[in-house]
Structure formats: C-alpha cells, structure tokens
Amino acid sequence: MGSASKPSPTAAAPSRRKVALCLTLLTLQYGAQPLISKRCVGYAAHLRITSPSKQGVIVTSLVLAIEFLKVICAVILLVAEGSLKAQFSNWSLVGSLTASGLPAAIYALQNSLLQISYKNLDSLTFSILNQTKLLFTAFFTYLILGQKQSPKQILALALLITAAVLLSIGESSRKGASGGSSDYVLLYGILPVTVASVLSGLASSLCQWASQVKKHTSYMMTIEMSFIGSMCLLASTFQSPDGEALRIYGFFHEWTLWTVIPVLMNAVGGILVGLVTSYAGGIKKGFVIVSALLVTALLQFIFDGKPPSLHCLVALPLVMTSIFIYQKYPYVDSKKKDR
C-alpha cells in the first residue's frame, strides 16, 4: 500500500495553546456561519421559495466555490510553512485514496442518507438519532486507533449527547411529524439516519487515523478531499436541478460581494476542521459542534434580539460540565500508572 506524505523529521506535536486556538476558532466559525450565511446568501435563497420562477444563488455553485477556496487556502499554508514541494514530491495516488478517498466517499454517502432521513422523520427522532454519531466516533476511534475512554469521559459524552439533543429539539421544534406508515418510517427515516451516524463516526476516525498514524498532513487531506468531493458533485450536476440551473443561468448567478463572505468563512472552517481532527481528534470535534450551537444562540440574541430557548439554557451547563469532565479525567493505562 502506498504511503502518505512523509512528515518532516523536525515536526513536533502542536502545543496546547495552538490546539486550544484551533478549537476556539472552529467553534466561533461554526457558531457564526448560520447567521452570516442567512444575511449574505439568505435573500437569494428566500427568492426561490417565495417566487419559484425567480432563480436565486445556486447551491452547487456555493459548494464548489468553497471547495476551491479550501484548496487555495491549504496550498498557501503549505507554501507558508515551506513544505509544499516536499508534500507533492512524496505524494502517491494509492496513499491519497487510502487517506482521503475513503473518508470523502463515506461523507458523501452520509450526507445523502441524512437528506433522505430528514424528509421522513419528525424532528425529535431525527435529532436524537443524529447525535449518536458522537458515540460511534468514540467507538471507531477505539477500534481503529485503540484510543480508550475513561468511565468519566463516557459520562461526559452522555452529557454532551443530551445537550446536543436538547439544542436540536429547541431549533427544530416547529417542524411537525412527517407521518407515513411505521415500515416506511423505519426504512426511509430511522435506518438512514442511524447508518449515517455510524458512517460519520467511521469517517471521522479514518481522518484521524490518516493524520495521526499515516502522518498525512491535514492540508493535503483538505486538498484531496475537496478535489474528490468536487468531482462527485460535478458528476451529479448532469442529472440534478442545480446542474440545469448552472447551464441556464451560469455559475455566479445572483452572486454579490456579500456572497463571498460566507463562502470564505466556510473554506477557512474546512481548514480548521482538518487541523482539529489532526490535533485533537474526532471526539473533541464533536464537542466543538455542540458548543457552536450555543454560540449561535448567543449571536441570535445579540443581533436578532431572539432570546435563548429553555432548551438552550438547560443545555449550557451540560456542555460546560461535559467539557470539564472530559478534559479533567482522561483515560490512564493502569499498567503505566503502576510503574
């Protein structure tokens, strides 16, 4: 099997300050993204709902632009650290497909399953089942990397999942039940979101394995996964409504200078996701995602005057407690402890 890019012999583990900075920046980016996207792109998207004959910003164009900017950002950072030539000289197709191809394909399948499930489940059931991805991430991290959790860390994960479910319920409580027969709901609702949660945990653990074991840098993984994802998306445009819209209206239809802001933020977020997965692992990325929901609630209160829901107020201490417990009580190998 081809190996991934070889790390520099002088490469050192990132400092705790650098890890904390990446976690904080990603939390803020995740938290602010919904509000910024709503303000900068939301009107064009709103046009498609209120006036179907009016074509707004084409979603596929946004996604492709984000992936392109991710690649540009990753290349710039590789140049800045002086490792661009070394990374590409050590690059191999087999190593690339092993490190990035499989996670990219898994994430693509996961997203499709979530879309199917979301249409056929009520919000409460969807939210609860979707948050089990944190447990599957912990399971696959142990299975693939041998990373164990202490009993108190497992408790912290349970608290985090509880908080995530509360936040998700608070955000989606307006959506009613989908209806349908029990067999149909099981096949097209419960089963897809459960499989998607398993795949999410698997893909996150594979990305962590590629970066920490195979020493595939997060920047190279970002470039490779963006390229693979873009190729899959472009292939889908031959049959999708967005593909037809692109051919009729053009790539930058209804774009403005404001549209660039959320696109750039998403691209930077993609870089941060790679760094967080590489430095801290997929489980701590789960903590970031849930914490970002609280940031979103706070920003909505500041800029929209929308007070946090009761679900959010209950979830806040749960998230803070889970983060404290998870950091304070890591797993300690009893054999090493006795030495």
Side-chain angles (χ1 to χ4, degrees), residues 98-110:
T98 302
S100 305
L102 185 56
I106 291 173
Y107 276 130
L109 178 57
Q110 175 212 348

Side-chain angles (χ1 to χ4, degrees), residues 141-279:
T141 301
Y142 167 71
L143 199 65
I144 296 173
L145 295 166
Q147 182 178 320
K148 299 179 180 179
Q149 310 294 320
S150 69
K152 290 181 179 178
Q153 284 184 318
I154 294 174
L155 172 63
L157 287 173
L159 290 175
L160 185 70
I161 290 172
T162 303
V165 170
L166 284 171
L167 289 166
S168 299
I169 293 171
E171 285 297 312
S172 57
S173 58
R174 295 179 182 178
K175 183 179 176 183
S178 59
S181 67
S182 57
D183 289 342
Y184 185 88
V185 170
L186 174 63
L187 187 60
Y188 294 100
I190 294 174
L191 188 59
V193 71
T194 303
V195 174
S197 296
V198 174
L199 292 177
S200 176
L202 176 60
S204 181
S205 301
L206 286 173
C207 287
Q208 187 175 341
W209 168 81
S211 62
Q212 295 181 356
V213 177
K214 300 297 288 183
K215 302 303 180 184
H216 209 66
T217 69
S218 64
Y219 300 143
M220 285 301 296
M221 285 191 68
T222 296
I223 293 172
E224 292 163 352
M225 291 181 71
S226 292
F227 179 78
I228 294 170
S230 296
M231 292 300 101
C232 293
L233 188 56
L234 283 172
S236 72
T237 59
F238 287 102
Q239 295 294 331
S240 68
D242 269 13
E244 184 179 354
L246 285 170
R247 289 187 287 273
I248 295 173
Y249 299 103
F251 189 89
F252 293 105
H253 181 70
E254 290 292 336
W255 276 55
T256 67
L257 289 176
W258 293 107
T259 311
V260 178
I261 297 174
V263 169
L264 184 58
M265 274 193 65
N266 253 310
V268 173
I271 298 294
L272 289 171
V273 166
L275 291 173
V276 166
T277 302
S278 176
Y279 294 163

Side-chain angles (χ1 to χ4, degrees), residues 13-52:
S15 65
R16 294 181 64 180
R17 182 176 297 181
K18 187 174 183 180
V19 173
L21 177 62
C22 289
L23 289 168
T24 302
L25 289 176
L26 184 58
T27 302
L28 294 174
Q29 187 271 327
Y30 270 157
Q33 191 69 50
L35 278 77
I36 292 176
S37 295
K38 183 179 179 181
R39 281 166 168 74
C40 297
V41 187
Y43 174 69
H46 174 70
L47 287 176
R48 302 182 70 173
I49 299 172
T50 57
S51 179

Side-chain angles (χ1 to χ4, degrees), residues 323-336:
I323 292 174
F324 173 78
I325 293 174
Y326 195 88
Q327 292 288 99
K328 183 72 174 178
Y329 302 102
Y331 174 81
V332 178
D333 192 330
S334 57
K335 295 180 181 179
K336 292 182 179 179

